[in-house]
Amino acid sequence: MPELNLTSAPAHLRHGSNIGQPLTRRDGVLKVTGQATYAADNHPPGMLFAVIAAASIAHGRVTSLDVAAAKRHPGVVDVMTPDHKPPLAIDPEIKTNPFVFRMEALQSSEVRYANQPIAVVIAETLEAATEGAALLAPRYEAQPPLIGLDAGESFVPPVVGVGNPTENHRGDVEAGLVSAETQIDATYETPPQYHNAMEPHAVVAHWDGDKLSVDMPTQGLKLSLARIAELFGIAHDKIHIRSPFLGGGFGSKGLMGGPPVLGIMAAKLVGRPVKLVLRREQMYGPVGHRAPTRQRLRIGADGEGRLTALDHHARTVSSTFDDFYEPAADASHTLYAAPAIRTSHDAVRVNTGTPLFMRAPGEATGSIALESAIDEIAWTCGIDPLAFRLKNYAEVEPITGKPFSSKALRACYDQGAARFGWAKRPLQPRQMRDDAGLLVGWGMGTATFPALMFQAEARAAIRRDGSGVMEIGAHDMGQGAWTALAQIAADAVGLDIGRVAFKAGTSDLPDAGIAGGSAHTATAGAAIHSAGAAVIAKLADLATNDERSPLFGAGNAGVIARDGRLIRRDDESRGESYAEILARAGVAEVEARGTGAPNPAAMEEYAMHAHGAVFAEVKVDPELSQVRVTRMVGAFAAGRIVNPRMVQSQLFGGMIWGLSFALHEEAVTDRRSGRIMNANLGEYHVPVNADVPPLDVITVEEHDPHVNALGIKGVGEIGITGSAGAVANAVWHATGVRVRKFPIRMEELLV
Amino acid sequence: MKPFDYVRPATVSDAVAAAAQSGAVYLAAGTNLLDLMKGGVSRPDRLVDVTHLDGLDGIERLADGSLRIGALVSNADLAHDADFARSYPAVAEALLSGASAQLRNAATVGGNLLQRTRCAYFYDTASRCNKREAGSGCDARGGENRTHAVLGWSDSCIATHPSDFCVPLVALDAIVEIEGRGGRREIALDELHRLPGDTPERESVLEPGDLIVAVRLPPAAREFAPHARYLKVRERTSYAFAVVSAAAALRIENGKIAEARLALGGVAAKPWRARAAEDVLKGVAPTADAFQEAAWRALTDAKPSGDNAFKIELARRIVVRALTLAAAGTPARLSALPASPFASTSGAIHA
Ligand SMILES: Cc1cc2nc3c(=O)[nH]c(=O)nc-3n(C[C@H](O)[C@H](O)[C@H](O)COP(=O)(O)OP(=O)(O)OC[C@H]3O[C@@H](n4cnc5c(N)ncnc54)[C@H](O)[C@@H]3O)c2cc1C
Ligand code: SF4
């Protein structure tokens, strides 16, 4: 693949520049002209195709594979099985750190879930490998699978999510419930969901002696690199991963799963480059999913509609062999000012691939239950749902009592409600009809997502010709990192964006951390910002210490970098260009590194979250029970908006996913076999264009001096939260029927 | 994929001869067949590609007023033929409510009639399915079956036929022209698909080698044009199969229903003509009561085959609605959301 050159996008294809400008995607032209090379687009010479044979049972053991039949098939080169595979340096079951996802790398004949890889067929063509996999005709010794939220004895996991405590409480919930004037006690269920990124998981692996090059979409280049290094027992510097573009990740490409490892093993086995791409149905198993939940909410309120207690318990599942627990109840920590709050989780183990983060893990599942429950208690109190939320507005974070680093949620409520026309909403359900007689309902939900920071590093340089370089192994999952991070880079080094060579997406660049937790722009952006500041400081040192410079004696703090020049803060007419400074100093380039990291002191002091308010209108056919969302307004406050266009797209995407959560998405699991019966995009429904109304996104101004140097909070996940509940609440308002099992199905509304 | 022979016969008779051998199947646009082959559900030895046969892609008005649609006409071309859409609006609406624009551009008339069920257990080769493998059992029974059949099912199979197109066609007494080893013959569309009984693997009355060459709408079919609708309830606004659908066509004379046609989709292994309901409506005024009565008649024999009792009630309601809409008159323009309960909602740009 030729080196990516995103600096050459012609100026007329761009609008504006740098932070705050709605720049169009710098990789857009590459994408629409098919020049963006996704992992599976690579075809090194001599490449073979590998196809996974997946288990059709959910629990048991493979007793035989007809390897001979597969090998006889023309074009089949080899069949990798537990008995015939290159050795790994460590057992893939060993968790060397919490970010290790236990995987199947053919280490045994055991089957732990349906669609688990049990063999890999390698062939000259994709067709031959596919048929070879079918010819393996596995036989099994099957055992009854564990399925569903009541599969067995429940237990309390040690932690939920990534290291969150399983239980939290503040105040006396039972006393709060006893003292309440009104109470609700409601149980909600959310189904298993699968990421279904447009681009399936794919790997092209190429060994050259002990060197390995890997094309693979990943949300964590360095995490993947470290995992490959330990599994194959090779040094980090022998591995090169390229992941310039991801066709979506949503969390499923965050931790290294089994399939890419199998592709690398296959390449080793046959001594040729190998490509392995998952079929759509094979993504329903080994690469993570959103676990189902059953959530019980008990809420009390006093005679004025003020919360007295909020108790949120979530039951979820994990696999039989690894631990990931959807932290659904944690959604109740931040939003509503109840004097007593308790959140808790328990879990059962089932025969499923291990669940994983999926866009807003915990927040999405928890939010739809919490926002439905708040709607229910508001109705019980006879109070408008927005008024109720305002009455219980949290001025400090309820679970910790900490002040917020910033919180413009009130403005979100105000602006969103005004745009939507919420004031005209009748309190009673089933009051509104349109001209065609369809029931109309309005619902709302509050959105929230933590403002996280991870660790990242960046390298910046200013070159002799006055241009800049910014290097960071960041990940563009489609969200626009190539653009937004380059904007931050341009501002960091005081250059027009076209003058900065921005490099990202490969493992030889500085570690950008994981692109997850809505923290990538903030974390990578902070590293870029600090690398830029550091390189400019070096440049300023050269100038301000040199008598020949008009900046002599100004001191580092006395100069500003702007448009490729350093100028005196006290007299902007005095300055010189980067090129002049470097030429005079006889230096080819100056470089510096910078890091982005959470600030523990600020985190100790403040609660940091993005917020939003989503308003939805649905129409429901009163007899036929078909539901359609007809309007949605979302107002979000998420700190500094680096690129309003990309941010709007992220929020659109999130709101659509919320709609999908409420009305469409569900992996249908056969209750006897544990197989997923709709593992394809035809039957695993996500909204189509006709389901998505015009969306209205408002970004509310918010300045946050505490979250990070740039005041960025992240917008990748918040859009789902609030939206799912808003749609569900609108369905209730339209019909008067409260459905507590998601997605809302037409049969529940047939009254 | 299993290797197979691919033949592209030059004439209809060559096609019939090539397809009469065991293991051979016709390939039209392949939007259904190729999916089934990729999933290992169909494993043919030979594909007989009919898409290059001459003379099967026309829409002809015949002297007697009937219309003959070649088996290779695409679903989209047929629906967008202005004369066709005017004369048989419910059929055009049904076509446009199916699948997606891309699929409709490719899919053929013949392929649509003979598309296979969407029963998930039929698609899942690890499940037992009498239709895929005779005598193996039916995992849909007792499984995830909320969208399965409520009419005409048997203990051996509870699958439905998924076509939208077939529903108004069967209501309008469409005729299927078939070329087979014994020459040309024709049958009513209502007789093309078989109910499962003990042999769900036999889905139609076609014999090996039988090629559908055309579908004919008899002269009387166009008389319903002023009062003909198709309505489809599905799990999203577009690009989803019917949970239940209905085609209703009325001939109204002097305020009375001179003749009614009614068929249901998504309820049985074939497009379900509701003749008993039609009889109830003959000669009466098009009132809500009459439509209710017709709906009850249409579903008299319905029974749930699993977690799908709601489909019976839904089917009754959709019958009433489709008849009501038909009585109100065919709209001058087809909605941007064809056959949707939201058809009248403004703001939709396309489905
Ligand atoms: C994702 C998806 C969604 C869909 N949604 C809908 C929907 O909402 N409503 C709907 O009605 N349909 C829907 N469809 C189905 C679609 O209408 C059919 O796939 C299509 O009509 C089949 O036509 P084809 O020409 O591609 O047939 P093919 O796939 O080529 O053939 C289908 C079958 O018919 C046989 N055959 C084809 N032509 C002839 C002939 N002339 N004589 C004898 N046998 C023949 C073939 O042997 C094969 O068995 C959907 C399909 C997909 C993939
Ligand atoms: S319902 Fe019919 S198609 Fe479905 S599994 Fe049973 S036999 Fe097969």
Side-chain angles (χ1 to χ4, degrees):
Chain A
M1 184 179 64
E3 191 167 318
L4 269 181
N5 184 356
L6 294 173
T7 48
S8 66
H12 70 274
L13 295 177
R14 304 195 274 108
H15 309 289
S17 71
N18 305 357
I19 295 179
Q21 299 301 315
L23 224 66
T24 51
R25 274 183 172 68
R26 304 172 79 223
D27 46 348
V29 173
L30 288 184
K31 284 183 176 167
V32 298
T33 55
Q35 297 173 75
T37 316
Y38 290 84
D41 294 331
N42 290 286
H43 294 268
M47 187 187 81
L48 298 175
F49 294 83
V51 165
I52 286 177
S56 60
I57 60 163
H59 186 199
R61 214 165 55 79
V62 179
T63 53
S64 82
L65 292 167
D66 195 346
V67 173
K71 279 196 160 166
R72 270 196 307 274
H73 188 71
V76 171
V77 173
D78 209 344
V79 178
M80 198 163 71
T81 66
D83 300 328
H84 177 59
K85 63 171 197 299
L88 291 176
I90 61 160
D91 179 350
E93 302 279 354
I94 294 173
K95 259 178 142 55
T96 48
N97 69 67
F99 289 102
V100 163
F101 191 57
R102 286 207 176 107
M103 62 176 69
E104 292 78 22
L106 303 178
Q107 64 268 34
S108 83
S109 59
E110 191 192 350
V111 176
R112 319 193 272 203
Y113 57 89
N115 278 341
Q116 176 195 311
I118 53 172
V120 177
V121 179
I122 308 151
E124 299 285 349
T125 63
L126 176 61
E127 291 74 12
T130 305
E131 182 61 12
L135 291 171
L136 287 174
R139 286 168 187 273
Y140 303 95
E141 193 181 287
Q143 285 172 32
L146 298 165
I147 300 159
L149 287 156
D150 299 306
E153 194 76 6
S154 76
F155 59 95
V156 177
V159 293
V160 294
V162 184
N164 305 3
T166 307
E167 298 197 19
N168 281 279
H169 61 90
R170 188 179 174 89
D172 186 340
V173 163
E174 296 305 332
L177 288 171
V178 169
S179 74
E181 189 99 337
T182 42
Q183 274 198 44
I184 63 143
D185 180 345
T187 301
Y188 306 86
E189 277 195 31
T190 67
Q193 300 174 345
Y194 284 74
H195 305 78
N196 274 311
M198 186 86 88
E199 177 204 30
H201 293 66
V203 66
V204 176
H206 185 181
W207 289 89
D208 177 8
D210 65 345
K211 292 217 300 266
L212 172 65
S213 83
V214 179
D215 290 292
M216 166 181 97
T218 171
Q219 296 173 247
L221 278 161
K222 279 287 160 61
L223 270 178
S224 298
L225 183 107
R227 185 75 173 128
I228 293 170
E230 70 178 16
L231 284 169
F232 291 90
I234 51 178
H236 285 208
D237 62 4
K238 301 280 189 202
I239 306 167
H240 184 58
I241 309 177
R242 298 187 298 182
S243 180
F245 305 107
L246 288 85
F250 312 121
S252 77
K253 292 168 184 162
L255 303 185
M256 186 93 179
V261 172
L262 291 171
I264 299 169
M265 287 167 66
K268 189 154 190 169
L269 184 72
V270 295
R272 284 167 68 176
V274 162
K275 178 191 302 198
L276 188 154
V277 181
L278 289 190
R279 291 167 64 109
R280 178 62 57 183
E281 72 269 18
Q282 294 178 339
M283 292 169 68
Y284 289 70
V287 290
H289 66 284
R290 199 194 294 284
T293 69
R294 180 185 297 138
Q295 304 175 53
R296 180 174 181 204
L297 278 112
R298 294 189 303 152
I299 304 182
D302 67 15
E304 307 283 295
R306 265 185 294 269
L307 293 173
T308 59
L310 168 55
D311 184 28
H312 190 164
H313 177 77
R315 156 76 57 90
T316 187
V317 306
S318 191
S319 68
T320 53
F321 56 94
D322 205 350
D323 301 280
F324 180 84
Y325 302 95
E326 179 81 3
D330 291 1
S332 286
H333 289 167
T334 50
L335 281 180
Y336 301 108
I341 296 181
R342 179 169 60 205
T343 63
S344 56
H345 298 84
D346 71 352
V348 297
R349 293 201 181 273
V350 300
N351 286 105
T352 173
T354 308
L356 189 62
F357 343 106
M358 177 161 146
R359 206 171 185 187
E363 289 84 6
T365 38
S367 168
I368 194 170
L370 173 64
E371 294 305 314
S372 296
I374 291 292
D375 217 59
E376 294 204 43
I377 183 92
W379 167 243
T380 313
C381 295
I383 301 176
D384 170 79
L386 175 56
F388 187 86
R389 284 171 172 84
L390 286 167
K391 221 179 238 290
N392 291 287
Y393 192 87
E395 300 294 351
V396 296
E397 187 180 46
I399 196 77
T400 60
K402 290 183 194 176
F404 290 100
S405 58
S406 64
K407 180 178 177 182
L409 176 58
R410 222 182 276 280
C412 296
Y413 285 140
D414 287 353
Q415 294 180 29
R419 181 77 59 89
F420 187 83
W422 183 262
K424 295 206 255 346
R425 177 184 181 274
L427 191 59
Q428 303 266 342
R430 221 182 162 93
Q431 297 298 303
M432 299 193 288
R433 298 240 181 186
D434 72 0
D435 295 346
L438 297 169
L439 295 167
V440 179
W442 290 357
M444 68 165 299
T446 310
T448 183
F449 197 84
L452 302 172
M453 284 286 286
F454 304 129
Q455 307 270 352
E457 198 190 356
R459 176 186 170 272
I462 303 291
R463 294 185 292 212
R464 186 72 168 261
D465 63 359
S467 67
V469 179
M470 187 65 74
E471 297 181 341
I472 182 159
H475 315 87
D476 196 325
M477 306 173 286
Q479 86 277 34
W482 279 116
T483 310
L485 294 180
Q487 286 176 268
I488 297 173
D491 277 357
V493 294
L495 283 167
D496 180 82
I497 195 163
R499 296 273 290 152
V500 183
F502 178 72
K503 295 188 185 159
T506 57
S507 63
D508 52 341
L509 299 172
D511 185 2
I514 192 168
S518 297
H520 201 42
T521 310
T523 308
I528 290 168
H529 178 75
S530 94
V535 81
I536 293 298
K538 282 194 178 172
L539 195 64
D541 276 350
L542 288 179
T544 57
N545 292 326
D546 188 335
E547 296 177 354
R548 293 166 293 174
S549 168
L551 303 171
F552 178 67
N556 202 341
V559 295
I560 313 171
R562 185 187 295 158
D563 295 335
R565 296 171 65 77
L566 292 185
I567 50 182
R568 284 186 81 110
R569 202 179 283 278
D570 55 5
D571 178 1
E572 295 199 358
S573 70
R574 289 165 68 192
E576 61 182 337
S577 72
Y578 299 170
E580 284 166 339
I581 298 169
L582 292 173
R584 190 178 50 238
V587 186
E589 86 171 24
V590 283
E591 65 143 11
R593 287 180 175 251
T595 56
N599 174 350
M603 283 170 62
E604 189 53 42
E605 197 165 339
Y606 296 104
M608 301 174 176
H609 302 275
H611 291 94
V614 183
F615 299 84
E617 175 183 273
V618 304
K619 293 192 177 178
V620 183
D621 188 293
E623 285 100 31
L624 305 179
S625 294
Q626 200 164 339
V627 179
R628 183 158 180 264
V629 177
T630 46
R631 221 151 51 85
M632 254 174 129
V633 175
F636 299 91
R640 183 191 300 276
I641 300 303
V642 174
N643 181 321
R645 186 189 304 268
M646 309 287 139
V647 164
Q648 190 185 46
S649 299
Q650 285 293 301
L651 295 170
F652 282 165
M655 287 165 71
I656 294 167
W657 208 323
L659 183 171
S660 187
F661 199 123
L663 299 180
H664 299 297
E665 263 183 85
E666 173 174 21
V668 176
T669 310
D670 181 84
R671 58 196 87 168
R672 302 151 304 179
S673 71
R675 296 176 57 72
I676 294 167
M677 299 313 299
N678 59 344
N680 61 73
L681 288 180
E683 329 278 326
Y684 181 98
H685 281 183
V686 296
V688 294
N689 272 329
D691 292 302
V692 181
L695 300 172
D696 201 345
V697 161
I698 302 167
T699 41
V700 170
E701 191 168 337
E702 189 180 64
H703 297 277
D704 193 315
H706 306 294
V707 279
N708 49 57
L710 294 166
I712 297 169
K713 285 185 174 173
V715 292
E717 293 161 275
I718 188 171
I720 301 181
T721 73
S723 301
V727 171
N729 293 336
V731 170
W732 170 78
H733 190 240
T735 62
V737 180
R738 176 63 68 176
V739 180
R740 301 190 182 87
K741 190 170 186 297
F742 303 105
I744 296 173
R745 295 275 179 223
M746 58 179 74
E747 54 263 45
E748 314 267 355
L749 300 175
L750 274 185
V751 283
Chain B
M1 204 185 279
K2 176 186 158 189
F4 52 84
D5 287 338
Y6 170 84
V7 294
R8 189 191 278 181
T11 65
V12 166
S13 55
D14 287 354
V16 171
Q21 302 178 16
S22 92
V25 294
Y26 287 119
L27 171 69
T31 59
N32 188 210
L33 181 61
L34 296 189
D35 264 6
L36 292 167
M37 287 171 66
K38 287 186 207 161
V41 181
S42 295
R43 292 176 66 83
D45 298 314
R46 166 185 274 194
L47 293 190
V48 180
D49 184 345
V50 296
T51 55
H52 295 264
L53 294 177
D54 281 337
L56 301 186
D57 59 354
I59 306 171
E60 291 168 74
R61 175 83 70 94
L62 305 181
D64 67 350
S66 51
L67 187 87
R68 187 165 183 277
I69 309 156
L72 292 177
V73 173
S74 82
N75 289 193
D77 284 348
L78 183 58
H80 292 126
D81 183 281
D83 184 47
F84 178 82
R86 237 187 336 271
S87 309
Y88 315 99
V91 187
E93 191 165 19
L95 280 167
L96 292 176
S97 74
S100 66
Q102 293 91 332
L103 284 160
R104 294 191 297 267
N105 285 340
T108 64
V109 162
N112 192 315
L113 263 48
L114 292 175
Q115 63 175 293
R116 316 288 304 271
T117 182
R118 306 307 286 201
C119 170
Y121 297 92
F122 171 71
Y123 271 76
D124 176 31
T125 53
S127 296
R128 291 176 306 168
C129 169
N130 287 325
K131 193 185 273 302
R132 185 168 19 79
E133 204 185 321
S136 63
C138 170
D139 276 343
R141 300 300 311 273
E144 305 307 315
N145 50 23
R146 56 184 280 279
T147 59
H148 280 70
V150 293
L151 281 162
W153 53 272
S154 72
D155 285 338
S156 37
C157 180
I158 59 173
T160 63
H161 190 261
S163 168
D164 291 303
F165 181 42
C166 286
V167 180
L169 281 184
V170 84
L172 294 174
D173 281 340
I175 292 153
V176 182
E177 297 181 12
I178 300 159
E179 186 82 28
R181 279 174 299 180
R184 185 156 301 211
R185 68 185 197 281
E186 51 184 59
I187 56 170
L189 173 59
D190 201 12
E191 278 149 33
L192 177 67
H193 302 98
R194 300 174 74 248
L195 289 176
D198 296 333
T199 52
E201 73 282 6
R202 291 218 51 205
E203 294 174 347
S204 77
V205 299
L206 297 185
E207 298 291 335
D210 276 356
L211 177 72
I212 294 181
V213 289
V215 171
R216 226 170 55 232
L217 283 164
R222 67 174 65 228
E223 291 167 21
F224 294 90
H227 295 281
R229 288 307 294 271
Y230 182 67
L231 188 64
K232 172 177 178 182
V233 173
R234 53 204 128 165
E235 314 242 34
R236 58 184 170 193
T237 312
S238 174
Y239 200 25
F241 289 95
V243 175
V244 180
S245 70
L250 301 172
R251 212 150 48 67
I252 299 182
E253 283 168 10
N254 306 321
K256 293 250 167 72
I257 300 169
E259 191 179 0
R261 299 290 180 83
L262 183 68
L264 289 163
V267 293
K270 60 187 290 185
W272 192 265
R273 180 81 179 262
R275 288 203 164 79
E278 293 173 2
D279 293 345
V280 170
L281 294 170
K282 200 174 171 75
V284 305
T287 61
D289 284 350
F291 295 158
Q292 288 285 359
E293 172 68 18
W296 279 97
R297 281 296 178 90
L299 278 303
T300 313
D301 297 330
K303 55 183 194 312
S305 60
D307 297 330
N308 57 359
F310 78 95
K311 284 182 64 164
I312 300 173
E313 176 58 19
L314 192 58
R316 284 192 194 106
R317 294 185 187 187
I318 204 170
V319 164
V320 172
R321 180 72 64 80
L323 287 166
T324 309
L325 289 171
T330 307
R333 270 179 65 89
L334 200 59
S335 159
L337 297 176
S340 165
F342 300 104
S344 61
T345 311
S346 59
I349 299 158
H350 66 85

